């Protein structure tokens, strides 16, 4: 079995300026999770409830791995024990932590 050292093997070939540049590049693409206001949280909750009850397609912006990722699909179920919702997308079923949702938009709204 080959034991790969990952990026550690390249460290000796990189100049300090390159390492600084890579750190800056990585910081440019990371997003801090923003705190939502009560109104925003209530709006997201209403959108999720409507999409779940009427089985409408919804677009969610989710904070994941220090970046914002968009998921579109229908909500299959909501698990209040784990605070997750199960989103059925075209390709897979995704578990999304409710506290990481940054915005929600119903299908009819984002085609306008």
């Amino acid at each position: 079995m080959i034991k790969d050292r990952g990026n550690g093997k390249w460290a000796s070939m990189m100049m300090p300026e390159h390492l600084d540049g890579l750190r800056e590049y990585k910081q440019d693409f990371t997003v801090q999770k923003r705190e939502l206001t009560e109104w925003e949280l209530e709006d997201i909750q209403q959108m999720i409830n409507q999409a779940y009850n009427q089985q409408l397609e919804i677009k969610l912006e989710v904070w994941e791995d220090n970046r914002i990722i968009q998921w579109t699909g229908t909500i299959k179920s909501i698990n209040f024990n784990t605070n997750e919702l199960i989103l059925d997308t075209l390709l897979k079923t995704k578990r999304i932590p409710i506290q990481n949702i940054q915005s929600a938009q119903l299908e009819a709204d984002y085609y306008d």
Side-chain angles (χ1 to χ4, degrees), residues 14-87:
M14 292 188 150
M15 299 176 85
E17 295 85 13
H18 293 145
L19 294 172
D20 292 340
L22 285 172
R23 281 188 204 102
E24 288 175 19
Y25 178 79
K26 187 175 180 181
Q27 286 177 349
D28 288 343
F29 288 99
T30 59
V31 177
Q32 296 297 318
K33 183 178 177 183
R34 67 184 183 92
E35 292 297 320
L36 301 173
T37 65
E38 265 189 64
W39 288 9
E40 289 173 316
L41 290 170
E42 189 175 314
D43 190 38
I44 290 170
Q45 181 182 2
Q46 287 177 355
M47 294 283 185
I48 289 173
N49 286 338
Q50 185 177 356
Y52 178 65
N53 292 332
Q54 298 176 5
Q55 284 301 291
L56 298 173
E57 196 164 280
I58 190 167
K59 180 173 78 171
L60 299 173
E61 290 187 354
V62 181
W63 185 78
E64 217 174 84
D65 299 326
N66 292 324
R67 57 192 172 137
I68 299 292
I69 299 174
Q70 291 184 355
W71 293 100
T72 302
T74 55
I75 299 172
K76 190 175 180 180
S77 66
I78 301 173
N79 188 338
F80 293 106
N81 294 331
T82 60
N83 281 333
E84 291 180 329
L85 60 84
I86 312 299
L87 189 73

Side-chain angles (χ1 to χ4, degrees), residues 81-99:
N81 294 331
T82 60
N83 281 333
E84 291 180 329
L85 60 84
I86 312 299
L87 189 73
D88 225 358
T89 68
L90 284 175
L91 301 175
K92 64 179 182 176
T93 302
K94 176 77 177 159
R95 292 179 170 272
I96 299 176
I98 293 172
Q99 65 270 16

